[in-house]
Amino acid sequence: MTSRPPFPDSLPRRLQFWVSLSFCALLAFSAQAAELAVGDAVPAFTARDQFGKEFKFEAGLRFLLLGFDRGASKEANRKLAELGPGWLEKTNAAYVLDIHTMPGVARFFALPKMRKFPQRIVLGEDEAMLSPFSRKPEKMTVLVLTSAGKIQEIRYWDPATEEIGSVLK
């Protein structure tokens, strides 16, 4: 019994290559983690803050702020600093800043600046940890969570134009 080639012999080799490559790319994209939605449980994760202390995400947190946009994150840092140390913890919130694409040299200069902020900034250094979270340009993602760690609501905060109290209620 002879096996048949996966493509008809009439297709040129170059076209066969591109069709195969496109199929593989489609499989790779569909295999990526799906974006979390309302009702989904936030996966437990562990990361370090700007002081090197370990942070563990566990059920019980009420709000999870995620900064993916550099401009929005800078403005959020400024506004959160005005609220003073411990404000996030009192509000039962945590703030995760995406730094996974930041080059090592930039981190060398950025981390000392982050240590000057009174609020705890959890450093998102792992792309796989951050990929399931939705994001919008020039906005902070704010997840409102249930006591079981499931997403109750997804909000987007523009720290340049909105007060934090308007999204953490």
Side-chain angles (χ1 to χ4, degrees):
M1 175 180 231
T2 61
S3 65
R4 292 181 41 192
F7 295 102
D9 289 333
S10 60
L11 285 177
R13 290 270 180 226
R14 184 170 274 170
L15 181 58
Q16 290 177 16
F17 169 78
W18 287 110
V19 169
S20 297
L21 185 63
S22 298
F23 181 73
C24 289
L26 179 65
L27 284 176
F29 284 119
S30 65
Q32 288 182 347
E35 195 171 273
L36 293 172
V38 171
D40 291 342
V42 174
F45 65 86
T46 302
R48 299 225 175 264
D49 67 12
Q50 77 267 40
F51 301 106
K53 293 181 182 172
E54 187 176 84
F55 169 85
K56 282 186 176 186
F57 173 82
E58 296 170 339
L61 195 65
R62 181 71 178 127
F63 301 100
L64 185 61
L65 285 74
L66 298 134
F68 297 103
D69 181 271
R70 186 173 182 227
S73 297
K74 284 179 96 172
E75 188 62 26
N77 281 334
R78 189 185 68 72
K79 285 205 172 172
L80 291 170
E82 290 173 359
L83 298 170
W87 186 86
L88 284 170
E89 290 80 4
K90 289 176 198 164
T91 313
N92 204 11
Y95 171 34
V96 178
L97 179 63
D98 177 7
I99 66 164
H100 88 274
T101 60
M102 188 183 289
V105 173
R107 288 182 195 201
F108 180 77
F109 292 102
L111 283 173
K113 288 181 184 178
M114 286 184 215
R115 289 183 189 113
K116 292 179 183 176
F117 289 109
Q119 71 272 15
R120 186 177 198 188
I121 303 171
V122 179
L123 305 175
E125 299 181 280
D126 181 12
E127 181 180 10
M129 178 190 92
L130 298 166
S131 65
F133 298 107
S134 66
R135 58 199 79 191
K136 286 188 177 181
E138 300 175 20
K139 305 264 188 196
M140 298 285 293
T141 301
V142 179
L143 302 180
V144 181
L145 306 170
T146 67
S147 59
K150 292 187 177 189
I151 300 172
Q152 179 178 327
E153 187 179 349
I154 301 173
R155 301 174 181 164
Y156 299 96
W157 172 44
D158 181 354
T161 61
E162 299 172 296
E163 293 303 316
I164 186 68
S166 66
V167 291
L168 298 188
K169 53 182 172 178

